């Protein structure tokens, strides 16, 4: 979690370790940042710390799902090195309402 100067939580990330397409991955289920803390680097800090956890756990990749109707979130992840994963259904189905994104973290 991330905290403000009064030690109130302003962000959180929810993830789990799993296997996806025979790859060891850390899958991010949710990143939330309080409205007043958005644009201050909290989300990026949470993402980077989560990537460190994945590397320490020897995961191959960090993955997540983002809704197609949330272009701001897609841009945020792209800015941080994430791209559409090869397992994403939207690659084959243009009516798919979400996008699976990922980034390799193994060295």
């Amino acid at each position: 979690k991330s905290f403000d100067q009064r030690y109130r939580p302003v962000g959180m990330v929810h993830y789990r370790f799993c296997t996806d397409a025979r790859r060891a991955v850390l899958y991010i289920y949710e990143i939330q940042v309080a409205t007043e803390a958005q644009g201050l680097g909290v989300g990026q800090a949470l993402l980077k710390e989560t990537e460190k956890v994945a590397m320490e756990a020897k995961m191959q990749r960090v993955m997540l799902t983002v809704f197609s109707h949330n272009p701001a979130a897609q841009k945020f992840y792209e800015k941080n090195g994430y791209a559409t994963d090869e397992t994403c259904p939207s690659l084959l189905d243009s009516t798919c309402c979400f996008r699976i994104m990922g980034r390799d973290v193994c060295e």
Side-chain angles (χ1 to χ4, degrees), residues 20-21 23 61 63 83-89 91 100-102:
D20 186 85
R23 299 173 291 187
R61 192 162 176 81
M63 295 178 64
T84 301
D85 189 75
E86 63 189 21
T87 63
C88 183
L91 294 173
I100 298 173
M101 301 181 77

Side-chain angles (χ1 to χ4, degrees), residues 8-46:
R8 295 178 301 187
V10 293
M12 58 80 69
V13 60
H14 172 219
Y15 63 85
R16 70 178 274 192
F17 300 105
C18 60
T19 303
D20 186 85
R22 298 184 182 157
R23 299 173 291 187
V25 302
L26 182 152
Y27 208 103
I28 297 174
Y29 283 91
E30 184 175 16
I31 290 182
Q32 288 187 12
V33 176
T35 304
E36 67 272 12
Q38 291 178 2
L40 301 176
V42 174
Q44 189 170 33
L46 288 168

